[in-house]
């Protein structure tokens, strides 16, 4: 497992660009809410720690992870944003539902990244067990929300650097 080699919350603070001018959208799934709220908390705390104003973080909730793509697109179309983060958690069950949801969200966010001029950040946990999800939502392996926020800042800076 890749997370065993990289703690999700470990990064060099000084390597993160200034984020004080960023406007960030976050769409978060209500499904597996005990996990997704921790991801959201991690993302918001990390964004604020790097200078993003609370008023420039626009959070919207959708019912499930499959709806993250639609929610992310709607945020991009109705708010003036520099980046959108999608946060969710899918835990494998006894049916192929897991595979379809994970594949749909992956393809959907990839498509949004190709259609829009702002980055859409993939913050979807895909785990086999609830414990694995907890370990990646502020537990043993850090918080995927932190990682998504750092990626958002760096990708928004990447886009900004191309416009200079």
């Amino acid at each position: 497992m890749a997370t065993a080699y990289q703690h999700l919350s470990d990064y060099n603070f000084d390597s993160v660009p200034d984020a004080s001018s960023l406007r960030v959208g976050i769409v978060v799934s209500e499904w597996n809410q005990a996990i997704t709220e921790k991801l959201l908390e991690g993302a918001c705390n990390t964004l604020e720690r790097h200078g993003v104003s609370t008023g420039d973080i626009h959070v919207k909730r959708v019912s499930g992870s499959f709806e993250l793509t639609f929610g992310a697109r709607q945020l991009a179309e109705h708010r003036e944003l520099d980046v959108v983060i999608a946060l969710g958690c899918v835990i494998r069950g006894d049916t192929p539902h897991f595979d379809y949801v994970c594949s749909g969200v992956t393809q959907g966010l990839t498509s949004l990244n190709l259609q829009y001029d702002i980055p859409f950040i993939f913050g979807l946990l895909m785990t086999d067990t609830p414990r694995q999800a907890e370990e990646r939502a502020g537990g043993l392996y850090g918080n995927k929300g932190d990682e998504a926020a750092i990626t958002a800042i760096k990708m928004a800076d990447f886009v900004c650097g191309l416009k200079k």
Side-chain angles (χ1 to χ4, degrees):
M1 104 178 92
T3 312
Y5 304 113
Q6 176 71 39
H7 193 278
L8 296 168
S9 299
D10 284 347
Y11 63 93
N12 178 348
F13 188 93
D14 296 329
S15 72
V16 180
D18 175 40
S20 59
S21 65
L22 288 186
R23 296 165 314 227
V24 180
I26 302 176
V27 60
V28 59
S29 170
E30 292 174 339
W31 193 258
N32 291 318
Q33 193 168 22
I35 299 297
T36 61
E37 287 300 312
K38 291 177 185 175
L39 298 175
L40 176 61
E41 180 181 348
C44 289
N45 288 343
T46 298
L47 291 168
E48 291 170 18
R49 194 168 33 254
H50 288 280
V52 180
S53 164
T54 321
D56 286 329
I57 301 172
H58 305 275
V59 177
K60 293 293 181 185
R61 287 173 173 75
V62 295
S63 55
S65 290
F66 193 80
E67 291 75 28
L68 287 170
T69 302
F70 179 81
R73 188 181 102 206
Q74 292 302 308
L75 266 176
E77 290 185 0
H78 293 93
R79 295 271 197 266
E80 198 170 312
L81 301 171
D82 299 300
V83 62
V84 176
I85 300 170
L87 299 174
C89 176
V90 184
I91 301 170
R92 188 177 303 277
D94 295 330
T95 68
H97 183 257
F98 173 91
D99 299 314
Y100 297 123
V101 171
C102 294
S103 178
V105 176
T106 300
Q107 291 174 18
L109 290 175
T110 298
S111 178
L112 291 174
N113 272 304
L114 298 173
Q115 293 173 26
Y116 286 80
D117 289 332
I118 64 169
F120 290 81
I121 307 305
F122 188 88
L124 180 68
L125 285 177
M126 299 177 283
T127 65
D128 289 324
T129 66
R131 181 177 177 183
Q132 288 175 341
E134 291 167 2
E135 289 173 340
R136 290 156 179 80
L140 178 65
Y141 295 114
N143 191 318
K144 181 75 171 174
D146 294 341
E147 181 190 53
I150 295 302
T151 301
I153 294 168
K154 289 183 174 185
M155 289 305 296
D157 184 66
F158 175 82
V159 171
C160 182
L162 294 174
K163 294 178 181 178
K164 291 181 181 178

